[in-house]
Amino acid sequence: MHTQLQPSEFKFSSLDVLQKLKPLDIDFKQMLTKIANTIRGLSMDAVQKADSGHPGLPMGCAELGAYLYGYLLKHNPKNSKWTNRDRMILSAGHGSMWLYACLYLAGYKISLEDIKNFRQLHSCTPGHPESFMTDGVETTTGPLGQGLGNAVGQALGLKLLAAKFNAGKDKIFNSKVYVLMGDGCVMEGISAEVSSLAGHLRLDNLVVIYDANKICLDGPLAESCSENTKERYRSYGWDVFEVDGHDFDALDAVFSQIRQKQERPCLIIAHTIIGKGAPNKAGTNKAHGSPLGFEEIKAAKESLGISLEEFYVPQAVLDFFHNKLNRDEQEERKWDQKFETWSRENPGKLKEYERMSQNILPKDLEKQLWDIQIQAPISGRKASQEVLNTLADFLPQLCGGSADLSSSDMTLLKKYPFVGPGQFQGRNIKYGVREFGMATMATGLNQTGFFIPYIGTFLTFSDYMRNAIRLAALQHVQVVYQFTHDSIFLGEDGPTHQAVEHYAALRAIPQLQVIRPADSHEVRMAWMAALQFNGPTAIILSRQNLPDLEETRVPYAEGMGRGAYLLKREKTKPDFTLIATGSELYLAMNVAEELEKIGKSVRVISMPCWDLFEKQDHDFKDRLFDGDLGKRVSIEAGVDLGWHKYIGRHGIAICLERFGASAPADVLAKEFGFTVEDILERIL
């Protein structure tokens, strides 16, 4: 049996003197206790019925759930997307039953039957919270630490919106972002990246609760970690509190002070007992990652004084939340009235608010993109910067930044200021050298419902971001990744910076739109594709200058919108079909010209986006790729993985199956066989 820790070990503290407020009403605390035990009971039963899951966090954080959803959060469960709601994110996603139990009790669109179907096929209560499946879930979590990154992005987004739209006393944006994280989130490197930046920016609307139960899945935390988390976060510029996570008066004292006055991000170290209430497994890793077992559940319920009935919810708890729903709805109605007054007094701001919240794109977007004056030859990265700076003038929802590379990946919006500590009027975000954190924050920015964020770095560093990109794709989050320095042709920086396997790696992620444009014409249309796509897009761009091809200047619906399109038509039955992307498309056209000089008939296909091509109808795909097209040749300065689907088993892939080298680009082209002469020798 676990030895109960004494409350004296949990005395709360802060950088400032914390004045304890008036204790909560005794009857109210009794109700919160009943709610907490209901969360425990539902969590134990759901995990046991599924024979899978994590009961420890839901039981250890039950008081936190009762206090947050029963009292603190400013939200309306009947309208889970209310603009000015407080957001609650469970970064420690393995404890999903905690969140589901809280959402069910609070009145979100989760039923008791859904709780009983925890972790079952097509249930809205999957193993880890998924934002696109479950009402009230703000972001998909599970890979530890990423929920914290999304929360920092959401908090930043809300500060940007407040700076843009709050006028005088009319503060239509003043909500907070709350996060519950565990030891795993604290240990993952992503937490350092985003917490450091949150402290630097002084995000005074971010409150992170650390479930400090001292237990990991494999055993005590002390076996793998001995850092001083309190001092670590103080060094980031956060206010830090410690509190007994099971003491409602202590919790209220801390949260109420933060609600009244917050000047920087806050970390609340909530000392809890994992699996609290389980007489034989509480406080141990046995409560972490597997069901408690029927006997332990029976003993736990008896010790907690709750019904032995499975999935039991006291009527008093249901009545409490039913009555609370009226107050929640009133909170939104008050805001609606304030918003109506604000709308009348700020018609210009209202128009911009609607453009951002509805993600309105100009009807003549394609024309405006074609009208951008871009002088070729030009690198893909610089062409994209020209497009970005034009788009920003009529798309207020566009904001972005870079991992300390804006002068190299060309992501700077030249007319707009930088975001800085306490300064949120800008649209350029300096993420610092924090690629993973940057990617998770971009997801959070989009999740506010007002932004299309773009972020930039070198393509090879997409590896640092990969899991965040994966979760963005899973959630259909609209983020644009501007990846530059896309191949060996960046030159002297050498193989550490030269992408080789990255096209294939990104194309392997479902629901991610990967585009490698060949010139400024295709760059324009790549942005057209990204702005219209309900999900993330990776635009892969060259460092070196490229000429514009007359043949790529085709309407979106006939070119980029198809994913692949005919660039050069054969004169008779083709002897060769050349398929290329990016900087190699110009090379393919030169190869075709030489082949025609020796009497060969050649078809050339530009294929900037495999994903868009696969979405086309069968007739179009058959016209482009089916039949006897002669020898099929793909030309792309990366691995050949995936290309044989289009060129066939006997096709020739002009590719790279090794890492690059440090040398000028023209030397590397010869070394690796990416010259007209080398390709002709290979295919003839």
Side-chain angles (χ1 to χ4, degrees):
M1 184 178 294
H2 180 266
T3 302
Q4 293 291 326
L5 295 171
Q6 297 303 310
S8 61
E9 298 182 50
F10 297 146
K11 284 183 178 177
F12 48 81
S13 60
S14 157
L15 288 175
D16 302 311
V17 176
L18 178 64
Q19 298 297 322
K20 185 165 182 177
L21 305 179
K22 182 180 177 181
L24 293 169
D25 177 81
I26 292 176
D27 291 339
F28 183 53
K29 282 193 288 187
Q30 289 176 344
M31 176 53 68
L32 291 180
T33 299
K34 197 180 290 287
I35 295 169
N37 284 335
T38 302
I39 293 170
R40 289 190 175 96
L42 291 174
S43 299
M44 286 188 282
D45 289 340
V47 171
Q48 189 65 46
K49 185 174 186 292
D51 196 24
S52 171
H54 299 254
L57 182 149
M59 297 175 72
C61 293
E63 280 81 11
L64 283 163
Y67 179 80
L68 289 164
Y69 283 88
Y71 181 65
L72 183 71
L73 292 178
K74 181 182 67 176
H75 64 171
N76 180 11
K78 293 305 179 186
N79 179 13
S80 63
K81 298 301 182 184
W82 171 33
T83 299
N84 200 42
R85 70 191 181 277
D86 286 339
R87 289 154 168 82
M88 178 65 227
I89 293 172
L90 176 64
S91 186
H94 57 273
S96 56
M97 258 314 303
W98 177 87
L99 184 57
Y100 300 148
C102 291
L103 293 174
Y104 158 64
L105 294 174
Y108 288 86
K109 295 174 185 175
I110 297 181
S111 68
L112 189 59
E113 195 62 29
D114 294 325
I115 299 293
K116 294 177 181 179
N117 286 325
F118 178 54
R119 289 185 164 228
Q120 303 309 301
L121 185 64
H122 302 313
S123 166
C124 71
T125 50
H128 293 85
E130 296 177 15
S131 60
F132 54 93
M133 291 185 66
T134 312
D135 189 45
V137 173
E138 297 287 356
T139 184
T140 296
T141 58
L144 294 175
Q146 287 203 56
L148 175 61
N150 298 158
V152 175
Q154 290 186 23
L156 174 58
L158 293 173
K159 295 299 292 183
L160 297 175
L161 292 169
K164 180 180 286 288
F165 294 116
N166 287 355
K169 294 181 179 179
D170 294 327
K171 300 193 184 311
I172 61 170
F173 287 99
N174 62 356
S175 59
K176 293 188 183 294
V177 180
Y178 295 92
V179 189
L180 178 58
M181 70 174 182
D183 292 320
C185 300
V186 171
M187 288 189 283
E188 285 284 1
I190 178 66
S191 69
E193 292 188 24
V194 297
S195 298
S196 172
L197 188 52
H200 169 73
L201 293 174
R202 298 205 300 269
L203 298 179
D204 61 1
N205 58 345
L206 176 65
V207 182
V208 178
I209 309 157
Y210 170 24
D211 173 27
N213 59 42
K214 302 181 181 178
I215 296 295
C216 294
L217 185 64
D218 281 350
L221 175 66
E223 293 178 348
S224 60
C225 185
S226 55
E227 72 170 31
N228 188 326
T229 304
K230 182 197 304 186
E231 294 304 321
R232 173 183 157 195
Y233 271 80
R234 282 178 171 172
S235 76
Y236 292 147
W238 290 50
D239 280 338
V240 181
F241 302 83
E242 283 192 278
V243 69
D244 179 350
H246 306 302
D247 183 332
F248 288 118
D249 283 330
L251 291 172
D252 188 53
V254 171
F255 281 104
S256 296
Q257 174 153 319
I258 292 170
R259 174 65 84 179
Q260 289 175 11
K261 184 181 180 182
Q262 184 180 358
E263 297 179 346
R264 59 186 70 198
C266 290
L267 175 70
I268 301 172
I269 301 175
H271 294 280
T272 64
I273 299 168
I274 192 170
K276 188 177 190 310
N280 301 299
K281 295 185 178 181
T284 74
N285 65 319
K286 293 179 181 178
H288 198 306
S290 58
L292 295 178
F294 291 107
E295 290 303 314
E296 184 74 0
I297 290 175
K298 180 175 181 292
K301 289 182 176 180
E302 288 175 344
S303 71
L304 293 167
I306 60 179
S307 172
L308 297 181
E309 180 184 335
E310 283 190 344
F311 300 101
Y312 177 74
V313 182
Q315 187 61 44
V317 171
L318 293 174
D319 291 343
F320 171 86
F321 278 106
H322 177 75
N323 293 330
K324 185 177 181 296
L325 274 175
N326 294 326
R327 298 193 299 274
D328 292 336
E329 290 176 324
Q330 287 173 12
E331 189 75 39
E332 182 178 356
R333 281 197 293 271
K334 286 180 191 175
W335 182 85
D336 288 341
Q337 293 170 359
K338 182 185 292 186
F339 183 79
E340 187 177 338
T341 301
W342 174 87
S343 299
R344 289 196 306 269
E345 296 176 352
N346 300 278
K349 288 182 181 291
L350 175 63
K351 186 175 181 181
E352 193 165 15
Y353 178 98
E354 291 172 341
R355 289 175 68 185
M356 293 178 69
S357 62
Q358 298 172 33
N359 194 17
I360 296 173
L361 302 176
K363 292 180 180 179
D364 64 344
L365 175 61
E366 182 172 355
K367 178 181 182 302
Q368 293 201 47
L369 287 167
W370 283 121
D371 285 346
I372 300 171
Q373 298 299 310
I374 301 177
Q375 189 67 42
I378 189 172
S379 65
R381 58 177 177 161
K382 289 183 179 177
S384 186
Q385 185 179 42
E386 295 297 324
V387 174
L388 261 176
N389 276 272
T390 299
L391 289 173
D393 288 342
F394 57 83
L395 292 180
Q397 61 266 51
L398 199 67
C399 71
S402 172
D404 195 44
L405 286 169
S406 64
S407 59
S408 192
D409 59 30
M410 303 298 170
T411 49
L412 180 67
L413 298 181
K414 298 176 182 178
K415 297 180 184 177
Y416 300 93
F418 284 98
V419 173
Q423 301 294 321
F424 300 105
Q425 293 79 19
R427 291 170 68 179
N428 290 293
I429 303 167
K430 286 195 171 186
Y431 287 100
V433 188
R434 303 180 179 99
E435 289 90 352
F436 191 7
M438 173 176 70
T440 61
M441 287 178 62
T443 293
L445 282 166
N446 179 258
Q447 288 169 334
T448 64
F450 284 80
F451 296 103
I452 301 176
Y454 68 88
I455 52 176
T457 190
F458 295 175
L459 177 58
T460 189
F461 301 144
S462 64
D463 287 339
Y464 288 137
M465 304 162 57
R466 185 174 180 80
N467 205 255
I469 297 171
R470 183 177 186 271
L471 287 191
L474 179 64
Q475 299 176 81
H476 297 279
V477 170
Q478 190 179 21
V479 177
V480 183
Y481 309 105
Q482 177 154 314
F483 292 129
T484 66
H485 297 60
D486 70 338
S487 70
I488 58 170
F489 299 118
L490 67 89
E492 290 86 346
D493 274 346
T496 60
H497 284 52
Q498 292 167 359
V500 173
E501 74 277 22
H502 296 80
Y503 316 139
L506 290 172
R507 286 169 180 153
I509 298 176
Q511 297 170 187
L512 172 67
Q513 186 171 249
V514 181
I515 305 175
R516 189 171 182 240
D519 59 11
S520 77
H521 299 152
E522 288 195 348
V523 167
R524 290 176 173 88
M525 294 299 98
W527 275 100
M528 181 86 176
L531 292 171
Q532 296 182 122
F533 182 54
N534 180 31
T537 299
I539 302 179
I540 298 174
L541 302 163
S542 73
R543 176 182 184 272
Q544 75 275 24
N545 287 341
L546 301 171
D548 278 345
L549 297 168
E550 184 180 344
E551 295 86 350
T552 59
R553 192 175 175 88
V554 295
Y556 177 79
E558 298 173 20
M560 181 65 70
R562 292 287 199 177
Y565 61 102
L566 196 62
L567 209 67
K568 183 179 182 60
R569 186 178 298 278
E570 65 278 10
K571 295 176 181 176
T572 59
K573 187 182 87 62
D575 299 299
F576 293 93
T577 294
L578 310 181
I579 314 160
T581 74
S583 55
E584 289 75 73
L585 186 62
Y586 178 69
L587 179 60
M589 291 294 281
N590 288 340
V591 170
E593 184 179 347
E594 293 302 313
L595 287 170
E596 288 181 333
K597 287 179 180 178
I598 58 173
K600 303 295 183 183
S601 181
V602 185
R603 171 180 290 196
V604 180
I605 296 171
S606 175
M607 198 171 185
C609 183
W610 296 13
D611 183 67
L612 278 170
F613 174 73
E614 291 300 335
K615 292 176 181 176
Q616 303 305 306
D617 60 72
H618 289 295
D619 287 345
F620 173 78
K621 289 192 277 190
D622 289 348
R623 288 198 306 273
L624 198 61
F625 274 107
D626 274 16
D628 184 0
L629 299 178
K631 180 67 71 176
R632 300 184 184 212
V633 181
S634 65
I635 308 175
E636 185 176 67
V639 298
D640 71 355
L641 188 64
W643 272 113
H644 288 281
K645 179 178 182 179
Y646 303 109
I647 64 175
R649 182 180 173 190
H650 300 293
I652 298 173
I654 307 299
C655 63
L656 271 171
E657 294 299 339
R658 53 157 288 188
F659 293 113
S662 180
D666 57 344
V667 175
L668 294 175
K670 181 63 179 174
E671 172 70 14
F672 292 110
F674 281 87
T675 67
V676 172
E677 295 75 21
D678 289 326
I679 293 172
L680 288 173
E681 182 179 347
R682 175 93 181 271
I683 68 177
L684 290 174

